[in-house]
Amino acid sequence: DAGVTQSPTHLIKTRGQQVTLRCSPKSGHDTVSWYQQALGQGPQFIFQYYEEEERQRGNFPDRFSGHQFPNYSSELNVNALLLGDSALYLCASSLVASGSYTDTQYFGPGTRLTVL
Amino acid sequence: QKEVEQDPGPLSVPEGAIVSLNCTYSNSAFQYFMWYRQYSRKGPELLMYTYSSGNKEDGRFTAQVDKSSKYISLFIRDSQPSDSATYLCAMSEGAGNMLTFGGGTRLMVKP
């Protein structure tokens, strides 16, 4: 049973550039959430995608955008990169449609983004 | 004030000790409570998942939720050096909804 996968593992960009991160959810899951984790802090929710639409959004600027594909995989795009965008970007998947309280979010290994 | 507060540690204990990790929160709408373990430069790994108040046990791990006090705990019995990691508490208002995390507690178990 494949877990959540993310690519790439590491990425180095310069200020002002744009970046795209990718995520494939755990087998059987239909919902993808993205989180940003700065060094030494807990993850912060960016947004969640379900049925190819943004379902919830955290307190992040419009420079952060996303997309979900029909196969449930997802992309996170960040435009006009700032030094402060350097962080571990985590993707988590879950199954919302089941309605069961046992469903929660499972995380991938993350993509470490460094902005110079 | 943060919505979820967690002592950052580090917490250092000898091997075999009982470890107690705690979080407090302010949002009374939280219904789902989770503990994740995160090794350095890795993604969080789900340890325990609890709905509403009560206790849940899984092997050496016990999770407790006290909604009246807005306080959750994770106990680790017979701690091992391999338990050395950062422990994150997380909460949500609904199943599958956005998670709000504490800042994490770094645990070190010394042989």
Side-chain angles (χ1 to χ4, degrees), chain A residues 3 5 7 15 23 34-35 43 47 53-54 57-58 61-62 64-65 71-73 77 90 92-94 96 99 109 111:
Chain A
T5 60
S7 63
R15 281 178 297 175
C23 171
W34 287 92
Y35 293 80
F47 43 55
E53 290 189 358
E54 186 179 287
R57 189 177 183 94
D62 292 344
F64 290 78
S65 63
N71 67 352
Y72 307 121
S73 67
N77 300 293
L90 296 163
S93 73
S94 56
V96 172
T111 293

Side-chain angles (χ1 to χ4, degrees), chain A residues 1-24:
Chain A
D1 180 19
V4 180
T5 60
Q6 293 185 245
S7 63
T9 305
H10 297 89
L11 207 50
I12 299 175
K13 293 285 188 179
T14 57
R15 281 178 297 175
Q17 284 189 312
Q18 177 264 344
V19 68
T20 298
L21 310 181
R22 296 176 176 82
C23 171
S24 291

Side-chain angles (χ1 to χ4, degrees), chain A residues 41-107:
Chain A
Q41 297 182 24
Q44 297 276 321
F45 176 76
I46 302 174
F47 43 55
Q48 182 182 82
Y49 277 83
Y50 171 63
E51 291 189 332
E52 302 180 47
E53 290 189 358
E54 186 179 287
R55 185 171 177 260
Q56 285 184 296
R57 189 177 183 94
N59 188 26
F60 278 80
D62 292 344
R63 297 188 297 108
F64 290 78
S65 63
H67 187 77
Q68 185 180 34
F69 299 94
N71 67 352
Y72 307 121
S73 67
S74 176
E75 287 181 350
L76 164 66
N77 300 293
V78 186
N79 294 323
L81 285 168
L82 303 173
L83 295 179
D85 294 332
S86 295
L88 180 67
Y89 287 85
L90 296 163
C91 170
S93 73
S94 56
L95 178 61
V96 172
S98 73
S100 167
Y101 76 88
T102 62
D103 291 323
T104 186
Q105 296 181 28
Y106 294 86
F107 284 81

Side-chain angles (χ1 to χ4, degrees), chain A residues 25-44:
Chain A
K26 179 180 169 67
S27 178
H29 283 183
D30 59 6
T31 301
V32 172
S33 301
W34 287 92
Y35 293 80
Q36 179 195 67
Q37 186 177 25
L39 196 62
Q41 297 182 24
Q44 297 276 321

Side-chain angles (χ1 to χ4, degrees), chain A residues 35 43 45 104-105 107, chain B residues 34 36 90-92 97-101:
Chain A
Y35 293 80
F45 176 76
T104 186
Q105 296 181 28
F107 284 81
Chain B
M34 287 131 279
Y36 288 86
M91 312 175 186
S92 68
N97 281 12
M98 60 172 280
L99 296 178
T100 301
F101 281 85

